[in-house]
């Protein structure tokens, strides 16, 4: 949720609930809600739409639409005290693709499920543990637009270091065997 409004809603199956660590599964064919500009960026591979979406967030004006999750199965491992989630992912054939580290606010439980907010930067980690940063330009724009307060920026920088350390040491989800889908 951002500015008191949802910007995505996905029904997901809880695989494991460890209190401060929650594992939820999102599979192809799941219908959720997302911002129309994000959907446009996905359908048309339109990076300009993503920048327009951040501007819409800053104006607090965005429209939502249905979106069907496609192509990958994702197990989001979310934390109540960390500014990121780690998501092992598989393709349609069940082959492990690697991990997607989504920087986001620590999750909060609500009467409807859990709430968090995307922080506009990601880390993509291959099965061999090589990695690349994703969306640093969007993160910089989000900062310029006032969507990422100073306090969050400090937490994000600490979280970036923590996530990279986990990758380098093969800790946490990076130490687990992810050959097969967690069903």
């Amino acid at each position: 949720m951002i500015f008191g409004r949802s910007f995505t809603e996905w029904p997901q199956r809880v695989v494991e609930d460890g209190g401060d660590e929650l594992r939820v599964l999102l599979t192809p064919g799941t219908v959720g809600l997302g911002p129309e500009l994000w959907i446009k960026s996905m359908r048309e591979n339109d990076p300009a739409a993503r920048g327009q979406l951040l501007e819409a967030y800053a104006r607090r004006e965005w429209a939502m639409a249905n979106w069907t999750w496609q192509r990958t199965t994702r197990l989001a491992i979310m934390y109540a005290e960390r500014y990121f989630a780690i998501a092992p992912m598989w393709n349609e054939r069940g082959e492990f693709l690697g991990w997607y580290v989504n920087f986001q606010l620590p999750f909060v439980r609500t009467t409807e499920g859990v709430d968090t907010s995307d922080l506009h930067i990601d880390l993509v980690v291959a099965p061999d543990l090589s990695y690349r940063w994703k969306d640093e330009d969007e993160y910089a724009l989000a900062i310029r637009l006032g969507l990422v307060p100073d306090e969050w920026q400090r937490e994000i920088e600490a979280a970036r270091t923590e996530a990279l350390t986990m990758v380098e040491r093969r800790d946490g989800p990076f130490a687990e065997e992810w050959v097969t889908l967690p069903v």
Side-chain angles (χ1 to χ4, degrees):
M1 187 167 300
I2 186 170
F3 307 121
R5 290 184 55 199
S6 290
F7 64 92
T8 58
E9 295 179 12
W10 291 104
Q12 299 175 68
R13 182 165 58 102
V14 175
V15 173
E16 186 177 329
D17 187 343
D20 62 348
E21 180 182 297
L22 183 63
R23 295 179 178 216
V24 294
L25 191 65
L26 180 60
T27 57
T30 301
V31 178
L33 287 172
E36 288 178 349
L37 286 167
W38 177 78
I39 293 169
K40 179 181 190 307
S41 76
M42 297 297 286
R43 281 194 180 128
E44 300 172 14
N45 194 22
D46 181 0
R50 293 180 70 108
Q52 293 167 356
L53 177 58
L54 292 178
E55 292 168 1
Y57 286 161
R59 291 189 315 271
R60 285 127 173 101
E61 298 172 354
W62 65 92
M64 300 287 283
N66 286 331
W67 173 254
T68 302
W69 187 260
Q70 302 170 20
R71 296 187 302 274
T72 58
T73 296
R74 183 194 79 189
L75 176 69
I77 304 167
M78 303 186 317
Y79 304 97
E81 297 181 5
R82 288 184 169 148
Y83 276 68
F84 59 84
I86 300 171
M89 299 179 78
W90 296 262
N91 66 17
E92 301 95 340
R93 295 178 304 283
E95 299 165 330
F96 180 61
L97 298 172
W99 300 266
Y100 192 90
V101 182
N102 188 65
F103 290 81
Q104 62 189 49
L105 292 179
F107 78 80
V108 176
R109 294 177 187 272
T110 70
T111 57
E112 298 172 0
V114 295
D115 187 25
T116 184
S117 185
D118 185 74
L119 296 171
H120 313 291
I121 190 163
D122 307 292
L123 179 65
V124 179
V125 182
D128 68 0
L129 298 178
S130 61
Y131 60 85
R132 67 178 172 83
W133 289 101
K134 181 177 176 288
D135 300 330
E136 288 193 279
D137 55 337
E138 287 181 30
Y139 179 58
L141 177 58
I143 290 170
R144 283 194 307 276
L145 292 171
L147 298 173
V148 184
D150 290 343
E151 175 187 333
W152 292 0
Q153 290 175 49
R154 287 187 295 277
E155 294 290 350
I156 293 164
E157 287 310 308
R160 287 173 71 149
T161 299
E162 181 181 5
L164 283 178
T165 299
M166 289 175 76
V167 170
E168 291 165 356
R169 292 183 180 168
R170 199 171 185 98
D171 285 340
F174 301 106
E176 296 181 43
E177 182 63 47
W178 296 109
V179 175
T180 59
L181 290 167
V183 290

